[in-house]
Amino acid sequence: MSATISQSQPAGTAPDANPAVSPAETDLSARVLLLLFLSAALWLVGGSVLGLISSLNFHKPTLFADCAAFSYGRSHPAAINALLYGFAAPAGLGVLLWLAAHLGQAKLTGIPLVILGWLLWNVGVTLGVVGIFLGDNTGHEWLEFPRYASAFLFAGYLPIGLAGLLTFKNRQPGPLQMAQWFILAAFFWFPWIFTTASLLLVIWPVRGVMQSVVGWWYMNNFGNVWLVLMGLAVGFAFAPKFAKAPLYSRDMGLFTFWSLILFGSWAGIPAAAPVPSWIPAVSTLGAFLMVAAILATFLNLTKTLRQADRHAVRTIPELFIPFGVLAFTVASLMAVVSQPIAVSVVTNFTWFIPAQQEMLVYGFFTMTMIGAIYYIVPRLAPVAGTDLLLGKASFLLCAIGVLFYVVPLAVGGIIQGSSMNDATVPFLNVVKGSLMAIRGSTLGELLMILGNAIFLLNLILMLFRFFKTSTTVFLAGANKTVGVGA
Amino acid sequence: MNQGPLVFLGTFFALATAWFGFILQPELQIGSQQPFLIEDSGQLYPTKPAGLAKQGEDVYRANGCFYCHTMQVRPQGLGGDVARNWGARSGPVQSVSRDYLYAEPAMLGSQRVGPDLTNIGLRQTNEVWLLQHLYNPQSLAAGSTMPPYRYLFAKRKTTPGQAPSKDALPPDNNLPGYEIVPTDDAKALVAYLLSLRSDGILYEAPTLYVKPATAPAATTTNASPAANSPAK
């Protein structure tokens, strides 16, 4: 990654300049991230199993009739929140911390902060999921965790975000690489939106439909901006790595960055929302201003990846991350297309919405992060090695699974919306008409659970081999001891 | 050049723009809406839910009813909401922001796995029907995918000859020797559902036409023709 950083830069240009650190030293300092990755993988498997439990309600409505916790209205939000807060946030932050250290040729700074944040965060997620099961759901989508859980999340984010900023600050001087723009913005994005939404929805709720406005704003800024910032940071950092060539166009990368934070942050308010009509109108405008940036991102990253040696054997991350790039394009375009009223009138309130969300959260973000984790873990735990066969199996299962989930629900959603809008079709027929799509999506869920479980297994095997062969202390003391394989 | 400050300021600017545009500005516009005084009846709309209905709102939230049921009627011409008779307000009228004034929290929902419930309290006024539907939806709507909420009901053994409990559901032939009694949660939930009716006439959602023969002409003699529109 040193290609774009001028090596001739004198060490004394900035008053606080640190000596450049070798990648191996960075990895040694970043072993604490294994904690984040392991807990994230556990939540990923747990969350997807909960998702399956919630879906079973559609196959046999009477299945959990006597069990409040597993009823759809509780198990479904528990699954979504386990995925978003248990897996997505810690996995993304862990990868971002690693990237911030590597791209800046610095050590990971603030290891105790990371451990503290990781602990608090996971206490928060556990409390939140249990709270949803017990009926303490706040009633706001993607922010269902009750306030006692949100407080832990907030307290847990602060030290992790601080470690990120400290690590970023210790970077080598010089122009930022494209991924570093996304990393820095991501570290600021989450605390702002999470604080705003928690204060205005849970602590001192605004009145009436304003809650929905804040909720839509939060969902969009969480999914379509924050997750995208983190996922594209990985894309922009790894595409040149895989291709062993520079990024195709830095200008296009900058265009993506500015469009995403300036206009992407407006999108997400449904076109027919019962609010003053300028709000969805501006939201639609923001979504359409993103189209060029979405296409530019796709072009930029695929052109970069195409420079790679076509005959070289693809590693596991080289399967996951390009899939993520493709899924990002599809998911973002699905969001843009369904925003204007002419399409929204059909897609809104249908299975198209969860299909789009799954494409974004799983197809793009989760696949990208699994790829990055497959890349990073063998470097943090050098003797571990990845099991290639397991890696490929997890990729195939996850990739096919997400397609089996998204395609039937997207198509089924459009059919559902069209027949719902035809008042001559009895509503019960509309409901029955979407059962086929739901069955297809459950098959996809099963495949994804298998893929997630194999990913977790692979991760555990790697760590097991690492611990077995290494007597080195791997947590906080790691940077003081002599590392293995350095 | 150190671009760190540029990225920071850019991010800050973008967040501030989105925040001012989509949080502060809407809050200034609709955040302090007040209930509307319907002059000829002297009633306020919307009314604050009270008592059992208020508790039922918590049951609705805790059990995630809003993941499958929306509470928003889209305007006429947008989808089939009005044609499906989900609207109310003595005419084909959509939901507006003021309808949700006292919703805590506002649970508009994002999916219609089941029908919209904005006006369920107008469409279905039979409490027993609603309880029965919660206990066993398929018994009233064959083929429904709604899960039965049996956990909101108590199953009590009865002795022959004993009079059934006052609030027990109608006897079920499949369960001889038992009676099904709604818990407080079930009763509160049904009270909440019955309270869901957006039939207040609002300036921002005026009645598009007066349904013919809704009321005999004689009863409206005291009301001016414009009685239904807000005279400020």
Side-chain angles (χ1 to χ4, degrees):
Chain A
M1 292 312 293
S2 60
T4 50
I5 290 176
S6 166
Q7 295 293 329
S8 61
Q9 198 105 28
T13 39
D16 56 346
N18 297 309
V21 167
S22 76
E25 281 179 279
T26 303
D27 287 333
L28 201 58
S29 73
R31 277 191 186 158
V32 64
L33 299 179
L34 291 172
L35 280 178
L36 273 73
F37 297 148
L38 189 63
S39 73
L42 283 166
W43 278 117
L44 179 64
V45 174
S48 51
V49 170
L50 286 176
L52 180 70
I53 288 173
S54 74
S55 299
L56 289 178
N57 280 289
F58 286 108
H59 298 269
K60 195 171 188 313
T62 52
L63 195 58
F64 301 121
D66 298 301
C67 173
F70 283 173
S71 66
Y72 184 74
R74 297 193 189 195
S75 54
H76 169 69
I80 298 270
N81 282 276
L83 189 65
L84 292 178
Y85 296 95
F87 167 76
L93 289 171
V95 170
L96 247 54
L97 286 170
W98 185 83
L99 278 176
H102 258 269
L103 298 176
Q105 294 178 289
K107 282 185 183 175
L108 178 68
T109 315
I111 290 168
L113 291 175
V114 176
I115 297 174
L116 175 69
W118 171 79
L119 264 175
L120 290 169
W121 183 276
N122 279 289
V123 169
V125 177
T126 311
L127 282 177
V129 170
V130 172
I132 291 175
F133 279 136
L134 295 179
D136 284 347
N137 185 334
T138 61
H140 303 290
E141 282 187 65
W142 288 25
L143 200 72
E144 281 97 340
F145 283 171
R147 67 165 85 184
Y148 49 77
S150 300
F152 277 98
L153 291 190
F154 183 73
Y157 181 82
L158 288 183
I160 293 183
L162 187 62
L165 293 182
L166 290 174
T167 305
F168 186 81
K169 189 171 166 290
N170 286 341
R171 71 191 183 279
Q172 289 301 297
L176 294 181
Q177 295 175 46
M178 205 55 252
Q180 287 175 302
W181 288 65
F182 288 82
I183 292 170
L184 186 58
F187 277 126
F188 285 113
W189 209 269
F190 179 76
W192 179 304
I193 60 166
F194 185 72
T195 317
T196 297
S198 296
L199 288 180
L200 296 184
L201 292 179
V202 185
I203 314 285
W204 302 296
V206 287
R207 285 216 295 175
V209 83
M210 262 312 291
Q211 295 177 1
S212 300
V213 175
V214 177
W216 289 318
W217 179 85
Y218 176 71
M219 273 179 93
N220 175 63
N221 273 283
F222 188 103
N224 292 316
V225 183
W226 189 53
L227 294 187
V228 170
L229 281 171
M230 296 202 286
L232 288 186
V234 172
F236 280 111
F238 279 85
K241 252 186 219 287
F242 295 156
K244 297 187 179 65
L247 186 68
Y248 173 71
S249 165
R250 187 181 166 82
D251 289 342
M252 274 161 83
L254 288 173
F255 176 67
T256 300
F257 177 79
W258 289 115
S259 300
L260 176 65
I261 64 169
L262 283 172
F263 306 128
S265 54
W266 297 0
I269 313 249
V275 293
S277 55
W278 66 266
I279 302 175
V282 177
S283 198
T284 307
L285 177 68
F288 271 85
L289 287 171
M290 276 297 292
V291 174
I294 295 164
L295 297 177
T297 313
F298 178 70
L299 196 68
N300 201 358
L301 291 176
T302 43
K303 287 261 187 194
T304 306
L305 287 166
R306 286 248 174 100
Q307 301 172 86
D309 177 8
R310 276 164 189 260
H311 303 293
V313 180
R314 286 192 161 205
T315 58
I316 303 302
E318 282 174 280
L319 298 171
F320 275 98
I321 294 175
F323 183 94
V325 172
L326 192 64
F328 160 75
T329 315
V330 175
S332 304
L333 289 178
M334 278 169 84
V336 172
V337 168
S338 59
Q339 177 83 40
I341 199 142
V343 183
S344 165
V345 69
V346 176
T347 54
N348 199 20
F349 303 143
T350 71
W351 287 103
F352 186 88
I353 306 288
Q356 190 274 334
Q357 288 170 351
E358 186 77 4
M359 198 64 179
L360 181 84
V361 175
Y362 198 93
F364 160 59
F365 186 81
T366 304
M367 294 293 274
T368 303
M369 288 306 158
I370 291 180
I373 292 172
Y374 268 130
Y375 186 93
I376 295 170
V377 169
R379 285 167 171 77
L380 299 184
V383 288
T386 324
D387 194 313
L388 268 178
L389 201 66
L390 284 182
K392 274 188 185 158
S394 65
F395 171 73
L396 280 176
L397 287 165
C398 294
I400 298 172
V402 73
L403 292 179
F404 263 91
Y405 186 91
V406 170
V407 175
L409 284 190
V411 176
I414 293 169
I415 297 171
Q416 179 199 4
S418 313
S419 54
M420 190 157 61
N421 288 350
D422 178 0
T424 57
V425 181
F427 191 81
L428 208 52
N429 290 8
V430 180
V431 174
K432 288 178 191 162
S434 41
L435 278 178
M436 268 319 269
I438 296 172
R439 284 187 192 129
S441 76
T442 306
L443 177 61
E445 279 186 298
L446 274 170
L447 295 175
M448 282 189 280
I449 289 178
L450 278 177
N452 296 341
I454 292 176
F455 165 61
L456 175 66
L457 177 71
N458 208 345
L459 203 59
I460 290 174
L461 286 177
M462 281 191 248
L463 295 179
F464 181 71
R465 279 197 289 265
F466 172 58
F467 279 116
K468 218 172 122 190
T469 34
S470 150
T471 49
T472 324
V473 183
F474 105 105
L475 281 181
N479 48 353
K480 293 185 201 124
T481 52
V482 179
V484 279
Chain B
M1 186 192 120
N2 181 8
Q3 294 161 321
L6 173 68
V7 180
F8 170 73
L9 288 175
T11 306
F12 185 78
F13 175 75
L15 273 165
T17 317
W19 193 87
F20 276 103
F22 286 90
I23 305 290
L24 186 62
Q25 193 55 41
E27 171 67 17
L28 291 176
Q29 189 177 357
I30 57 174
S32 50
Q33 277 185 324
Q34 295 301 322
F36 189 80
L37 180 68
I38 301 168
E39 293 210 338
D40 47 353
S41 66
Q43 284 182 329
L44 287 173
Y45 177 83
T47 45
K48 245 184 186 149
L52 209 51
K54 187 75 201 154
Q55 295 169 31
E57 193 173 37
D58 282 338
V59 181
Y60 190 89
R61 171 188 56 69
N63 292 289
C65 305
F66 57 94
Y67 292 104
C68 295
H69 295 281
T70 56
M71 253 192 251
Q72 186 207 334
V73 181
R74 293 180 291 180
Q76 189 162 40
L78 275 183
D81 298 14
V82 167
R84 282 189 187 280
N85 204 23
W86 288 345
R89 212 169 267 142
S90 46
V93 179
Q94 75 271 22
S95 302
V96 291
S97 53
R98 212 191 303 235
D99 288 326
Y100 305 95
L101 211 51
Y102 295 118
E104 284 176 349
M107 295 175 280
L108 273 67
S110 57
Q111 263 198 283
R112 283 179 179 163
V113 181
D116 186 89
L117 297 181
T118 312
N119 291 301
I120 186 67
L122 289 172
R123 288 203 301 276
Q124 183 52 263
T125 51
N126 184 341
E127 187 187 351
V128 177
W129 190 95
L130 286 169
L131 284 169
Q132 178 72 36
H133 188 267
L134 278 175
Y135 178 71
N136 185 357
Q138 286 72 26
S139 70
L140 295 172
S144 167
T145 54
M146 176 166 151
Y149 285 83
R150 289 203 292 255
Y151 64 81
L152 294 176
F153 294 82
K155 191 167 132 187
R156 288 193 201 141
K157 209 168 171 57
T158 50
T159 46
Q162 177 198 343
S165 304
K166 185 163 60 83
D167 47 3
L169 289 186
D172 183 348
N173 293 333
N174 297 329
L175 273 174
Y178 286 94
E179 63 175 8
I180 303 299
V181 184
T183 61
D184 289 347
D185 276 358
K187 284 187 244 176
L189 181 57
V190 167
Y192 174 65
L193 292 175
L194 289 170
S195 79
L196 292 174
R197 43 190 296 167
S198 61
D199 51 352
I201 293 154
L202 292 178
Y203 179 73
E204 59 270 35
T207 311
L208 294 186
Y209 63 85
V210 177
K211 273 190 198 161
T214 43
T219 61
T220 58
T221 44
N222 288 337
S224 73
N228 282 351
S229 63
K232 291 240 167 189

